[in-house]
Amino acid sequence: MVEKGTWVIKEGFADMFKNGVIMDVTTPEQAKIAEEAGAVAVMALERVPADIRKAGGVARMADVGLIRRIMKEVSIPVMAKVRIGHIAEARILESLGVDFIDESEVLTPADDKFHINKYEFKAPFVCGARDLGEALRRIAEGAAMIRTKGEAGTGNIVEAVKHMRTVMDAIRRVKSMADEELVSYAKELNAPVELLRIVKERGMLPVVNFAAGGVATPADAALMMLLGADGVFVGSGIFKSSNPAKMANAIVQSVLHYDDPDELVRISEDIGQPMEGQEVENLSEKFQERGW
Amino acid sequence: MRIGVLGMQGDIEEHLAVFKRLNVDAFRVKSLKALNTVDGLVIPGGESTTILRLLKLTGLFGKLKDMIQKGFPVFGTCAGMILLSKEITSHSEQDALNVLDISVNRNGYGRQVESFEVDLSIPLIGEKPFKSIFIRAPLIVRTGKGVKILARYDGTPVMVREGNVMASSFHPELSNDLRIHELFLRMVKDASRH
């Protein structure tokens, strides 16, 4: 019997992104640059997060025509974002044939209480998380991939580091817990105990875990890999830098050579200016606080 | 016996985990130095364009091709199969190692929403069907005379072998079934006897 959209098909697809870089793009031309630099997938967007922040207002799913043109332009997988809880946007992307759907806090939430029940879809979903409880709640809703939230559009890595460390630290604690401790820890985390048991057994999340939100340099990408990320999303960091093709190429290589400082020296040289960064404290709105 | 898993990009850890379950020493290979220490190599799933680019940037492309032509055992899954093939019909501008006489279409079974799993009969590994996982899988559109077809789906070859080179359109590393990796280990053992 042939089966589509099963858990292993969704989670297994996320495995194929491992040790790779997924790049935000806003035009077919940018998608081509990303593909040629070695991106494992592109995220089709109307604006990169830095510009969403500047523009204000309500940020929605990208234009269908734009996504379609990007899908036509590149042979690598194409992802796109939907607003938290926006079932209809997700149905549209699935029907369009988008390969992966990001239910993302970068867009303005459509539902202030619930996320999408992702089990109802054949297309796989990725969601952001700041801690183990949030990650397991998203997985319980059917997310086949998790990423840190970080603070998108800032070019500041500090929040992504905090979220990755928080998740990893909790996983280490779970590994050393006695079984009888799991139920009350699940209560503390607001997460299903069944998933916590899996985390204890495997010593890791049951799905792929990427870094996202604030990656602006090859060194930032290497840092996230050193902290245990399976791979890296780069949002504004590529096409807000002074030389996107060079920056994209360098970040792809830094994810391969994250543990080799000599290679990182070579990779980091002469790649132009990274995007401008922002202090997170000075933001009027933090995207990471969206999601429940 | 030491097995390498090509470590440019992709589901490297999933292959390493299978070999660990088989009690075989297996390592991620991302340099020439590491490549020279292994008796056989798996090229994992991932994005073939990314893996190709990094193979060239690290200088591994030429060396690996040379070793395979001299009999070094290699097994490619999904993107790995694309990289081993002679011709990528759907993307003729994309280079490949050209060590396996097949032509493939990238994403020939469709985009992710068309990805599927199916039980296949693979006589070489026993009677029990193998749960085969196809993810944006390459479609084999031509096989050369010297290529042995080990499994078919819907009439089309999905697992092939030519001498020291084996490849599958699907992902045995995700199936929780060790038999195809065991088959590759037998290939490596046979090669080391010569």
Side-chain angles (χ1 to χ4, degrees), chain A residues 258-275:
Chain A
Y258 70 94
D259 54 353
D260 185 337
D262 293 338
E263 287 283 355
L264 291 176
V265 169
R266 178 185 64 73
I267 292 163
S268 303
E269 200 163 339
D270 190 28
I271 52 172
Q273 285 300 310
M275 72 179 283

Side-chain angles (χ1 to χ4, degrees), chain B residues 3-191:
Chain B
I3 298 294
V5 177
L6 185 67
M8 300 292 102
Q9 187 274 319
D11 71 333
I12 301 154
E13 294 80 4
E14 281 63 26
H15 279 284
L16 290 174
V18 177
F19 288 117
K20 194 171 171 197
R21 283 177 64 189
L22 287 165
N23 285 316
V24 174
D25 286 336
F27 306 87
R28 179 173 178 177
V29 168
K30 46 181 186 177
S31 66
L32 280 174
K33 206 174 134 194
L35 181 60
N36 282 323
T37 67
V38 295
D39 304 303
L41 187 77
V42 169
I43 306 182
E47 268 313 302
S48 63
T49 49
T50 307
I51 299 173
L52 174 69
R53 179 162 174 74
L54 293 171
L55 269 177
K56 292 205 164 168
L57 283 169
T58 52
L60 280 172
F61 186 87
K63 172 71 181 171
L64 180 58
K65 179 171 174 152
D66 187 50
M67 284 170 71
I68 298 169
Q69 282 170 339
K70 288 179 178 148
F72 179 65
V74 58
F75 173 36
T77 61
C78 194
M81 180 166 97
I82 297 170
L83 287 155
L84 292 167
S85 70
K86 184 168 183 180
E87 189 191 20
I88 304 164
T89 315
S90 58
H91 298 78
S92 51
E93 73 289 351
Q94 188 177 326
D95 203 1
L97 289 161
N98 188 9
V99 290
L100 174 61
D101 189 10
I102 59 171
S103 304
V104 299
N105 277 347
R106 283 182 53 206
N107 313 325
Y109 292 90
R111 303 191 74 97
Q112 173 61 12
V113 284
E114 299 301 323
S115 293
F116 61 97
E117 52 179 296
V118 64
D119 283 334
L120 291 182
S121 150
I122 309 176
L124 206 56
I125 57 167
E127 258 177 45
K128 202 180 119 202
F130 193 91
K131 182 164 283 297
S132 307
I133 295 159
F134 292 76
I135 296 176
R136 284 174 54 101
L139 176 72
I140 298 180
V141 292
R142 183 195 63 84
T143 50
K145 267 192 193 139
V147 176
K148 224 167 121 183
I149 294 164
L150 305 182
R152 288 177 191 272
Y153 165 64
D154 219 7
T156 308
V158 292
M159 183 172 165
V160 295
R161 179 175 172 181
E162 183 181 27
N164 55 315
V165 182
M166 185 162 78
S168 65
S169 297
F170 56 92
H171 291 279
E173 74 277 15
L174 300 180
S175 291
N176 196 25
D177 186 331
L178 309 174
R179 289 176 294 161
I180 291 182
H181 286 76
E182 284 175 321
L183 176 66
F184 178 59
L185 290 177
R186 288 200 292 278
M187 260 176 76
V188 176
K189 216 174 268 173
D190 288 345

